[in-house]
Amino acid sequence: MNVAVVTSAHDFRRACQEARVDGELALVPTMGSLHAGHESLIKAAAQWAPTVAVTIFVNPSQFGPGEDLASYPRERAGDLRKCEESGATFVFAPETPAEMYPPGFQTWVEPGPLARPLCGERRPGHFRGVCTIVAKLFALSRADAAFFGEKDYQQLLVIQRMALDLNFGIEVIGRPTVREADGLAISSRNSYLNREERQRATALWKALQAARRKFAEGERDPASLEEVARQSLEAEGVRIDYAEVRDPVDLERPSRADATSRLFLAAFVGKTRLIDNGELGAPR
Ligand code: PAF
């Protein structure tokens, strides 16, 4: 294994400082359990900058009570191999939560209205935890760019806004969702699904496609498009958390959908909560 690993915030800061002397630095923050989606982010980062830092940290502050913090998959050896194969230069993998939240920690980054609907409403405090950890990683690395997946589209917008509002001077770049052959958005949480659930998990993709078909037929009423998605999800036997058409920039509900409007979906397949989203006008 050639990829260098640092485990302390101090060493991460120093490694980033040294890397920036040689040119630009790109950052790929992750919670580990890396999959093809992360690999595509690391590869895109490696095209963008000569040095790529990947961070692997299961961030406790973005999990709510009763969520899957304890069971979140942790696969360090496989993760490091994937980092190396995808072009990472070094990895920051704190060994304990205290490395990022030492005793006495008390300062949080509170996001604004972009963090309120959708996952913000369903998972109170989630984006506060995300913003706080990402702000810390931005401050430590002082990277030139950071890469995030569009599967977590709301997260991407919230982080882009935070980077602007707090003057990080980091370009926050979103990359397309990577999907399995049957359309399921690749996610670390897919590993929770048993065989039968894995088959049903395509429900989100099918609902997105159903709404896109309806949009292509001329439907522009957000509520009607949402209803099509809801019916499709229900037909697949998954429990809907939300199915909402939103504006791609401010996440407000449009009075009339256009091709750039996005459908946002969250649904429980068994006990596993999955999310997905996509443009209504995207080719099917
Ligand atoms: O998307 C994720 O994996 C996490 O929310 C992130 C951005 C790494 C922060 O912990």
Side-chain angles (χ1 to χ4, degrees):
M1 192 76 58
N2 287 328
V3 71
V5 182
V6 294
T7 57
S8 75
H10 173 270
D11 289 348
F12 178 50
R13 187 199 295 279
R14 209 176 41 195
C16 292
Q17 225 163 26
E18 283 167 11
R20 288 198 318 273
V21 173
D22 297 331
E24 294 190 304
L25 170 66
L27 180 72
V28 183
T30 82
M31 296 207 299
S33 183
L34 301 186
H35 50 61
H38 296 115
E39 287 169 328
S40 85
L41 295 180
I42 300 169
K43 286 178 189 159
Q47 296 272 316
W48 199 93
T51 307
V52 178
V54 176
T55 68
I56 297 178
F57 178 63
V58 181
N59 173 36
S61 72
Q62 67 187 76
F63 290 79
E67 291 189 350
D68 55 342
L69 172 61
S71 57
Y72 197 84
R74 290 156 169 89
E75 294 159 25
R76 190 183 157 101
D79 283 351
L80 295 183
R81 185 179 42 77
K82 287 174 193 165
C83 285
E84 180 164 335
E85 286 170 2
S86 306
T89 317
F90 58 90
V91 174
F92 173 40
E95 276 164 359
T96 62
E99 190 60 39
M100 298 309 285
Y101 299 102
F105 182 90
Q106 57 178 262
T107 305
W108 297 90
V109 178
E110 192 66 62
L114 282 170
R116 283 189 199 131
L118 305 169
C119 286
E121 195 179 329
R122 291 348 187 261
R123 304 181 68 191
H126 169 68
F127 287 117
R128 177 186 196 247
V130 169
C131 283
T132 302
I133 196 66
V134 173
K136 285 168 70 70
L137 296 172
F138 282 5
L140 284 168
S141 66
R142 297 175 54 206
D144 299 285
F147 288 74
F148 297 87
E150 286 184 353
K151 185 182 79 67
D152 298 296
Y153 189 87
Q154 183 176 19
Q155 168 175 279
L156 171 65
L157 290 188
V158 166
I159 292 172
Q160 280 173 335
R161 188 70 247 172
M162 178 190 76
L164 281 175
D165 289 348
L166 300 186
N167 301 101
F168 278 111
I170 295 181
E171 191 176 337
V172 176
I173 298 174
R175 299 285 304 164
T177 302
V178 178
R179 297 181 180 279
E180 302 282 5
D182 62 5
L184 175 65
I186 296 183
S187 159
S188 305
R189 289 189 168 100
N190 293 352
S191 67
Y192 298 150
L193 303 168
N194 65 29
R195 252 173 101 96
E196 179 274 323
E197 290 168 343
R198 168 62 188 82
Q199 282 181 348
R200 266 194 299 144
T202 54
L204 286 85
W205 170 246
K206 288 179 181 159
L208 181 54
Q209 294 296 77
R212 283 174 169 162
R213 268 194 303 277
K214 197 75 184 164
F215 180 84
E217 285 163 21
E219 182 61 75
R220 296 292 180 268
D221 174 36
S224 305
L225 292 160
E226 288 164 358
E227 186 50 31
V228 167
R230 297 185 80 87
Q231 280 174 10
S232 174
L233 288 166
E234 274 160 11
E236 297 291 323
V238 301
R239 184 158 63 82
I240 300 169
D241 194 15
Y242 60 69
E244 296 184 24
V245 174
R246 297 261 169 184
D247 179 89
V249 176
D250 60 15
L251 295 185
E252 293 293 328
R253 285 183 68 96
S255 52
R256 193 179 148 77
D258 67 26
T260 69
S261 304
R262 292 185 93 88
L263 176 67
F264 291 86
L265 300 171
F268 288 89
V269 184
K271 290 196 173 125
T272 306
R273 183 177 180 276
L274 300 178
I275 60 172
D276 202 347
N277 74 90
E279 266 187 3
L280 285 170
R284 285 158 296 124

